[in-house]
Structure formats: C-alpha cells, structure tokens
Amino acid sequence: MATIHKGETKFYVGEDIRDPEAEITFVQSGSNRLVIDHTYVAKELRSQGIAQQLLKHVVQYARENDKYIIPLCPFAKKQMQKNEAYHDVLQKQFI
C-alpha cells in the first residue's frame, strides 16, 4: 500500500509534491465545497487501487471539515456516483 501525503490542495504519492507519482487535486469553492479537478497515477503504479485510496482520503478530509465534493474529474465523478458510501459528501446534483 502506498504512503499518501497531504498537500494544501492535493493528496499525493511520492517524495516530491511538485512531481508526484500519483495525485488527486482539488480546489476550495466557497466555504463548504471542494472541487476535485484532477486524478493522476503513473503508469508503473496503475492497477494497484492507488486512485481509489487517494479518493478515499479526499472524502475523509471533506467529512472531517464539513464540506461537499463536486467531482469534475471523470474518475472521481464515476467512482463517487456508483459508490453510495460517498453520497453523504457528494454535491446533490451529481448523485
């Protein structure tokens, strides 16, 4: 399992926040929303569930900070729509 680090606007895997091996990025929108705008996993790390782990970290962060998520990234949108466990933090128009 990969070690996931938290940056100001991302969760990532790797030693360099500016050149991560995998990342999920988000921006704050208003006081209570996070917009997930990008997910990336390097080719050599794919098929290990790392993108799912990164998404889980954003969801947990949103729950801990009373925020909703707007998933603009296609990966995050698909995963959040099909997984009912995420619907509590999913902005309602995306369910």
Side-chain angles (χ1 to χ4, degrees), residues 54-84:
L54 291 166
L55 179 59
K56 285 180 183 179
H57 275 74
V58 177
V59 168
Q60 187 61 37
Y61 176 76
R63 287 178 178 143
E64 290 170 358
N65 292 279
D66 295 321
K67 305 213 182 281
Y68 288 100
I69 293 174
I70 298 172
L72 295 185
C73 161
F75 167 80
K77 183 175 182 181
K78 180 180 178 184
Q79 296 302 312
M80 291 191 75
Q81 286 176 333
K82 77 177 188 179
N83 188 338
E84 287 189 22

